Amino acid sequence: MKNDNRHGRLLLAATLAAIVAACGTRGDKTSGDNRPDNSVQELEGDSMVYGLACDGSNDSILLLLPLTGEDPDTFDILDAWRERKVFGRPATGDNMAVMVNREDSKVADLVVDLDRLKGDWRYLVKPHLRHHANTDQESLSPEAKESLDSVLAQIAQPREFGMEIKSEHIVRPIGMSSDRTPEKNGRVQFPPQKRYRMWYLFNGKLLLSETRRDTAGVSTVTSTDTAQLVMLRRDSLVLRFSDGTEQGYYRSGK
C-alpha cells in the first residue's frame, strides 16, 4: 500500500510538472505563485472546467490545459468578453475556471481567472451611534439630531472590512472585532460582519461559507452566501449577492 501511495504521489508530481512545462509561467503574479492550483476540488453538481491558461490565449481564444494533464482545450471567449463575463485577464500559467456553453463545447460562457480572484479584498465601513434604551432618537428635535450627527462625524472613524481569498478554498476574514474592542461599550458600533472561512466556485457563482470548528478541529459549514461576479480587475472586485445587494472591494497591498 505504501508503495502504491508513493507511486501515486510521484505520478501527480510528474503530471503537474508537465502542466507547468506545457503552459509556462508568469513572473508578474498579483498574488500566489506560479504553480498549478492542484487543490481545486469540484463540488458535486459543479460543471465548471478547471485548468491553466496556455501560451496563445488572447481576447478571443482561451487555450486551457486541464489539471488532469489531458490535451489542451480551445475555447472561443469573444462573446464572453463582449458580455463582460470574463473576470480577470487570462495570461500564460494562470489558474482558470470555465463555464462551457451547453450547446457548443468550444464556446466559453464565463471565464474566471482564479489567480486574480485570490488576494486581500477590503472595503470601508462607517459605524453608527449605539442605541441606548434611555435614548429615543426618533423623538429628538432636528437640532439635536444634527448635533448627534456632528458628534458621530468627529468620533466615528471608518474601519476596513473584507476577506483574503487564498488557495485551498481558504478565506481569512479582515476587520473582525471582539468583545474587547474599544467600541464594544462605546458610543458607536459597527454593523455585524460575515466571517467567511471557505470559498468555492459553483457553476459560475462564488460560494462564501462561514464555518464552526469543534473541539476535535473538524470544521462544519454553518451558513453559505452565494455571490455573482460583477467585476474583477487588477485592483477592484464587485460581488452581487443573492439578496440583490452589491459590495465593492479594493485590493490591499498590505
Side-chain angles (χ1 to χ4, degrees), residues 35-219:
R35 296 173 297 177
D37 189 354
N38 59 318
S39 65
V40 171
Q41 300 174 1
E42 299 178 24
L43 294 178
E44 183 177 356
D46 181 22
S47 58
M48 301 194 78
V49 177
Y50 299 89
L52 292 180
C54 292
D55 188 26
S57 298
N58 52 49
D59 290 351
S60 302
I61 296 295
L62 172 65
L63 298 179
L64 185 78
L65 186 66
L67 295 183
T68 57
E70 299 173 357
D71 292 337
D73 292 318
T74 301
F75 295 104
D76 182 344
I77 62 172
L78 183 58
D79 287 342
W81 269 113
R82 291 171 174 170
E83 297 174 9
R84 299 183 180 180
K85 294 296 182 181
V86 177
F87 299 98
R89 185 172 291 276
T92 303
D94 280 1
N95 290 280
M96 308 298 300
V98 177
M99 277 293 295
V100 182
N101 186 280
R102 293 183 178 181
E103 298 179 356
D104 189 342
S105 61
K106 295 300 182 181
V107 174
D109 289 338
L110 181 145
V111 178
V112 181
D113 189 324
L114 298 178
D115 288 334
R116 292 297 183 188
L117 180 61
K118 297 171 188 174
D120 187 322
W121 298 105
R122 306 188 181 204
Y123 62 96
L124 288 178
V125 178
K126 294 183 179 180
H128 56 82
L129 284 175
R130 185 180 297 278
H131 177 73
H132 296 284
N134 59 351
T135 302
D136 183 5
Q137 297 187 25
E138 294 299 326
S139 63
L140 295 177
S141 66
E143 292 77 10
K145 288 184 178 181
E146 183 177 352
S147 177
L148 279 176
D149 291 339
S150 177
V151 171
L152 178 61
Q154 295 180 28
I155 67 175
Q157 296 297 319
R159 170 180 293 175
E160 285 185 322
F161 278 10
M163 58 185 172
E164 182 182 6
I165 300 176
K166 307 175 72 174
S167 297
E168 301 183 0
H169 305 289
I170 296 173
V171 179
R172 182 181 68 88
I174 296 171
M176 290 196 311
S177 60
S178 68
D179 291 344
R180 295 184 296 274
T181 53
E183 75 273 5
K184 178 63 179 178
N185 298 308
R187 302 173 68 179
V188 298
Q189 65 181 121
F190 287 84
Q193 180 193 12
K194 290 285 187 175
R195 304 186 179 192
Y196 299 125
R197 296 290 186 178
M198 182 186 302
W199 71 274
Y200 276 92
L201 282 182
F202 184 78
N203 292 332
K205 295 184 179 180
L206 179 63
L207 305 184
L208 295 166
S209 299
E210 294 183 290
T211 64
R212 180 178 62 247
R213 181 172 298 180
D214 61 21
T215 55
V218 178
S219 295

